[in-house]
Amino acid sequence: MDVIDALYHRRAIRDFTEEAVAKDQINQLIDAAIQAPNAMDEQRWAFVVLRDRAVLKRISDEAKNLTLSMMGSAPHLAQFRAFLSQADFNIFYNAPALIVICGTEDDPFVEQDCCLAAANLMLAAHALGLGTCWIGFAEAWLGQAEAKKELGIPMPYRPVAPIILGHPRAQPQAPERHRPDVVWIGP
């Protein structure tokens, strides 16, 4: 797949088939992720792969509860409270896999490194016909010491990018992109 084509057509997927993602495909995606640029070529990242649907469901429930407790009553968050309060809403959209990209050190550059790796992983998944979505609602729960202990994430690791992965039921249409402000300096 052409890179420009992937950039224009990759979308956040929130509806997956029941089909599991093969381990060799996940390893291929992680291999693509680590090709990302990173500060001083330190490669301070690690990948936690969860494929147990019962564990994913339980994490979803715990992350929803934590997120709801942290939200407060701000009016602009009402839409999120509504669906996070639904017992049957799964923040992982019933995806068969979750890949959590973690920074291995507390360093000012490691978060950017992990984000670049996440972008590579998501584009590579699209090229393989798989779907992904970054799940921000999982971040607070994954960052807790108890969660890291439960999942076997070493304490110095910091979860940065929780990416769900699976076979998409459909490919959503591209939303309209607004023209950004562009400031030109020089000729």
Side-chain angles (χ1 to χ4, degrees), residues 13-14 28 44 66 76 121 123 129-130 150 154 178 180 184:
I13 302 298
R14 294 180 181 87
Q28 186 178 4
R44 295 169 296 211
L66 178 62
H76 68 283
L121 186 142
L123 287 167
L130 298 169
E150 178 182 329
H178 305 288
W184 292 84

Side-chain angles (χ1 to χ4, degrees), residues 64 68 71 77-89 137:
K64 284 190 320 185
L68 283 166
M71 270 185 180
L77 299 176
Q79 66 176 335
F80 301 119
R81 270 192 300 283
F83 62 80
L84 287 172
S85 298
Q86 296 173 14
D88 63 341
F89 175 69
F137 288 131

Side-chain angles (χ1 to χ4, degrees), residues 162-177:
I163 311 290
I164 54 174
L165 174 69
H167 296 271
R169 283 194 199 280
Q171 187 68 24
Q173 292 298 313
E176 180 184 340
R177 296 294 183 195

Side-chain angles (χ1 to χ4, degrees), residues 48-104:
V48 176
V49 180
L50 292 101
R51 298 186 340 142
D52 183 316
R53 288 180 190 265
V55 171
L56 288 169
K57 172 67 172 109
R58 188 178 44 70
I59 292 170
S60 171
D61 292 342
E62 291 182 27
K64 284 190 320 185
N65 290 334
L66 178 62
T67 302
L68 283 166
S69 73
M70 294 169 53
M71 270 185 180
S73 60
H76 68 283
L77 299 176
Q79 66 176 335
F80 301 119
R81 270 192 300 283
F83 62 80
L84 287 172
S85 298
Q86 296 173 14
D88 63 341
F89 175 69
N90 183 317
I91 67 168
F92 302 125
Y93 298 94
N94 301 309
L98 171 68
I99 300 175
V100 183
I101 303 174
C102 300
T104 60

Side-chain angles (χ1 to χ4, degrees), residues 145-166:
E146 312 84 64
K148 291 183 353 180
K149 181 178 179 183
E150 178 182 329
L151 297 175
I153 299 172
M155 286 312 286
Y157 287 18
R158 181 168 48 110
V160 174
I163 311 290
I164 54 174
L165 174 69

Side-chain angles (χ1 to χ4, degrees), residues 5-13 119 122-123 126 130 132-133 171 177:
D5 184 57
L7 289 168
Y8 277 83
H9 295 100
R10 189 217 59 82
R11 297 286 165 257
I13 302 298
M122 295 169 89
L123 287 167
H126 176 71
L130 298 169
T132 58
C133 186
Q171 187 68 24
R177 296 294 183 195

